Amino acid sequence: MIIARGVTMPFRHCMIISLLLLLSILCHHHVYACVYAIDCFDDNPCTTDICNESTSTCEYPSAGDNCCRSYEDCDDGDSCTDNNCYENSCSYVDNGQCCIGGCDDNNVCTNDECSSGSCNYQPIYDCCNNGAGCDDNDACTNDVCSSGSCDYQPIYDCCNNGAGCNDNDACTNDICSGGSCSFEPIGDCCNGGAGCNDNDACTNDICSGGSCSFEPIGDC
């Protein structure tokens, strides 16, 4: 619109032109003019529609981080929850598929597992975390736990039954008592001819089956 110099326009026309210029500037910058908050309605439940009275422009601050228009707006990145959007508000419900807090029982001898929301602790065979975990019920071994595995170290000259005290002497009773061996001689027992000496030159001293017999020597 071109206005010749010296031509005076009515005040009303000047106001209309000024308003048109203002609207053109505001639209160019995507700024919306308003008088009341209703003028700023953007159909977005997650913004608060405000008319700034000092600038007569609309402002749209967020209505809050928990606001949503669909469940996609509520993704918390947590596989243990179901994400819901209800009445424009997010909610997060445990889906029962995870073990909240984890399943670590601080026991190196169990495999810790989470299954369907519950913790399971599976024992690891022949694993230990202290000496008591390695008891082999053998009084003649030192039960040792080393690096999570059991080691059974024999105790020298120890027994837990008579067989553990065998001295290979048929003329002793092999006894295990209190974890120690003792060997008690058996009377009238022999394990060789020398064990049956009756100091009689006229007998043959014989050891048979652990017993002595003395056979006379004829014409002696």
Side-chain angles (χ1 to χ4, degrees):
M1 179 184 295
I2 300 175
I3 301 174
R5 181 178 296 179
V7 177
T8 301
M9 294 183 62
F11 177 76
R12 183 168 60 86
H13 289 178
C14 289
M15 289 298 295
I16 292 173
I17 293 173
S18 298
L19 180 58
L20 290 174
L21 289 173
L22 176 61
L23 289 175
S24 175
I25 294 171
L26 292 175
C27 290
H28 178 73
H29 292 283
H30 303 287
V31 178
Y32 301 99
C34 63
V35 176
Y36 306 105
I38 191 64
D39 299 332
C40 300
F41 179 67
D42 63 354
D43 198 26
N44 184 349
C46 290
T47 61
T48 301
D49 306 335
I50 297 175
C51 179
N52 189 323
E53 295 180 359
S54 62
T55 62
S56 296
T57 57
C58 294
E59 297 176 0
Y60 303 96
S62 172
D65 294 337
N66 205 48
C67 184
C68 61
R69 288 176 290 180
S70 68
Y71 77 92
E72 287 93 346
D73 296 334
C74 299
D75 185 8
D76 60 356
D78 187 347
S79 61
C80 296
T81 60
D82 289 332
N83 308 322
N84 300 312
C85 178
Y86 178 71
E87 293 184 351
N88 303 121
S89 180
C90 292
S91 63
Y92 307 97
V93 180
D94 180 9
N95 58 24
Q97 298 303 308
C98 297
C99 300
I100 306 301
C103 292
D104 187 5
D105 62 355
N106 296 312
N107 185 350
V108 296
C109 290
T110 59
N111 285 319
D112 307 334
E113 300 174 350
C114 177
S115 177
S116 300
S118 297
C119 291
N120 296 314
Y121 305 101
Q122 301 295 330
I124 299 173
Y125 175 73
D126 203 25
C127 176
C128 64
N129 54 19
N130 57 62
C134 296
D135 187 6
D136 61 355
N137 296 311
D138 186 346
C140 290
T141 59
N142 284 320
D143 305 334
V144 179
C145 177
S146 178
S147 301
S149 296
C150 293
D151 184 24
Y152 307 102
Q153 302 172 351
I155 299 173
Y156 175 73
D157 201 24
C158 177
C159 65
N160 54 18
N161 57 60
C165 297
N166 187 8
D167 62 355
N168 296 311
D169 186 346
C171 289
T172 61
N173 285 318
D174 305 335
I175 299 172
C176 176
S177 177
S180 297
C181 294
S182 63
F183 307 98
E184 297 180 352
I186 299 173
D188 296 327
C189 178
C190 65
N191 56 13
C196 295
N197 186 5
D198 62 356
N199 296 311
D200 185 347
C202 290
T203 60
N204 286 320
D205 304 335
I206 300 171
C207 177
S208 177
S211 297
C212 294
S213 63
F214 307 100
E215 296 180 354
I217 300 173
D219 298 327
C220 178

